[in-house]
Amino acid sequence: MAPPFIVDIHTHVYPPSYMNMLRSRKTVPYIHDPPSNATPRLIILASDDDPSIPLDQRGRPVDSSYSDINAKLSFMRQHGINSSVISLANPWLDFLEPEEAQVWAERINNDLEATCARVNQAADPTGTSALHDKETLFAFGALPLSAPSPDVVVNEIKRLKILPHLRGVIMGTSGLGKGLDDARLDPIWAALQETGSMLFLHPHYGLPDEAFGGSDATNRYGHVLPLALGFPLETTIAVTRMLLSGVFDRFPQLQILLAHSGGTLPFLAGRIESCILHERKFVANGGDVPGPQRSVWDILKTNIYLDAVVYSTAGLNAAVTASGGTDRLLFGTDHPFFPPLESKDEKWASVTTNYKAIHAAFDTDNDAVTAVLGGNAARILNLK
């Protein structure tokens, strides 16, 4: 039996133009190049920019795997991945000055398109090869969310739709700076719905340091608390705010792919629904706030897709139960984050753990395994 077609829909790239922009900055986010040709450091969170930490030790190292597309292709070959949908990693373009946002969004999205076109042309010069033959790339574009007007963002969404290798957009949970229940986002939701563009929603800012014990905890435990707990809760809170504000009522065809299997949303959906049904402020219970008209369960089954970056069968089972089946679950790796700590040549535990979890969760259903590993992504994102 032929091996399944495998698609990685959660895999990041910092294009060279983005790296150069970060190198030109002195405030978060920025890249610091230590002396003696040491690995550059990405200072991405405010907590990383602690003056008490030597500059050469702040943030995280960013080697060639972050920006060299050949390193991406090598990683794909090493782990049997046929196609990847690459996207800019956090913090995207949220930090840009308004007058710079459109220019940089167009430049970086054009870079992504050109990279995908070059790789795919080299993989299949005649356009006749099978999908399994060589590694191919598609992309989620970045949005100029700090632009002076939402119209700039809307125009970029429409422009991306006609680029041959773009398959949607990636966006953080802060939106225009006030969260995803901000009414100013309505034109953006409308554009995504109108164009049928997939929104890959990814966390970045996590929760305040105080939620984890302040900076002392950060010094003791590094990034464990913000990454393991802050990111998933950030996603859960962001989507719940969208639900409560009626975004899914106003834009019922909106399609969103949630990073990290939706955070804790699949597990907490029943609790969220119960609290909504009992909230006295909502009109349904005699209050004066409209409240959501659709249930969490309906939205999970019609508007939301989940990646499989959850590292356990328990997490996958929750995701599948919440979404009503395996047809809305998509494999991902979160490359180049969480690399091996010993040898760069070894397989990444962050990837093999997800492979094992998928096979363990659906070991009696080969069709489900095939769908989650790549079939769903190929169908949903039209990866031809």
Side-chain angles (χ1 to χ4, degrees), residues 66-352:
Y66 285 75
S67 57
D68 184 352
I69 206 64
N70 289 319
K72 178 73 67 181
L73 296 173
S74 177
F75 166 84
M76 292 170 64
R77 285 190 291 273
Q78 183 184 16
H79 295 88
I81 297 166
N82 303 105
S83 191
S84 288
V85 186
I86 57 176
S87 56
L88 197 64
N90 50 317
W92 310 285
L93 306 176
D94 296 6
F95 56 88
L96 291 176
E97 294 297 325
E99 63 273 11
E100 299 178 322
Q102 180 178 358
V103 171
W104 277 108
E106 292 178 357
R107 183 177 302 172
I108 288 168
N109 290 332
N110 289 344
D111 282 354
L112 291 171
E113 169 61 28
T115 297
C116 294
R118 183 176 68 253
V119 168
N120 294 358
Q121 173 65 20
D124 185 15
T126 64
T128 58
S129 298
L131 285 172
H132 288 69
D133 287 355
K134 289 188 178 179
E135 294 76 25
T136 56
L137 298 179
F138 298 88
F140 291 126
L143 295 178
L145 292 175
S146 63
S149 166
D151 290 343
V152 175
V153 185
V154 168
N155 290 337
E156 186 63 5
I157 291 171
K158 293 179 178 179
R159 188 182 79 89
L160 293 177
K161 189 64 179 178
I162 63 175
L163 295 182
H165 298 91
L166 271 291
R167 289 299 184 270
V169 301
I170 187 169
M171 179 176 170
T173 59
S174 64
L176 301 177
K178 295 186 177 181
L180 301 187
D181 54 354
D182 183 353
R184 295 178 302 160
L185 286 167
D186 275 11
I188 296 171
W189 304 140
L192 290 170
Q193 177 173 266
E194 177 187 343
T195 58
S197 299
M198 178 70 74
L199 168 62
F200 181 26
L201 187 63
H202 194 294
H204 168 57
Y205 299 97
L207 301 180
D209 287 345
E210 290 73 19
F212 306 118
S215 59
D216 287 344
T218 301
N219 290 334
R220 288 197 304 273
Y221 310 128
H223 289 97
V224 172
L225 290 170
L227 289 180
L229 302 179
F231 270 27
L233 289 171
E234 178 184 340
T235 299
T236 305
I237 293 168
V239 177
T240 304
R241 288 172 65 178
M242 292 178 71
L243 166 69
L244 294 174
S245 65
V247 169
F248 296 107
D249 297 326
R250 298 193 299 278
F251 305 99
Q253 304 305 315
L254 193 61
Q255 299 295 293
I256 302 179
L257 170 64
L258 298 183
H260 315 125
S261 285
T264 59
L265 185 63
F267 182 77
L268 294 178
R271 184 173 179 83
I272 293 168
E273 184 73 4
S274 176
C275 290
I276 289 172
L277 293 175
H278 290 87
E279 178 50 58
R280 296 182 184 276
K281 286 185 176 294
F282 293 153
V283 169
N285 297 323
D288 57 3
V289 177
Q293 303 303 300
R294 298 172 59 199
S295 73
V296 179
W297 302 113
D298 179 38
I299 289 163
L300 281 165
K301 291 175 174 62
T302 57
N303 299 94
I304 287 175
Y305 298 90
L306 303 173
D307 76 15
V309 184
V310 70
Y311 312 111
S312 71
T313 55
L316 289 176
N317 287 332
V320 169
T321 300
S323 58
T326 56
D327 62 335
R328 306 182 74 81
L329 188 64
L330 292 73
F331 173 74
T333 68
D334 215 348
H335 181 263
F337 300 97
F338 308 107
L341 297 178
E342 300 298 330
S343 168
K344 66 179 182 180
D345 296 324
E346 67 179 298
K347 288 197 173 183
W348 295 40
S350 56
V351 180
T352 58

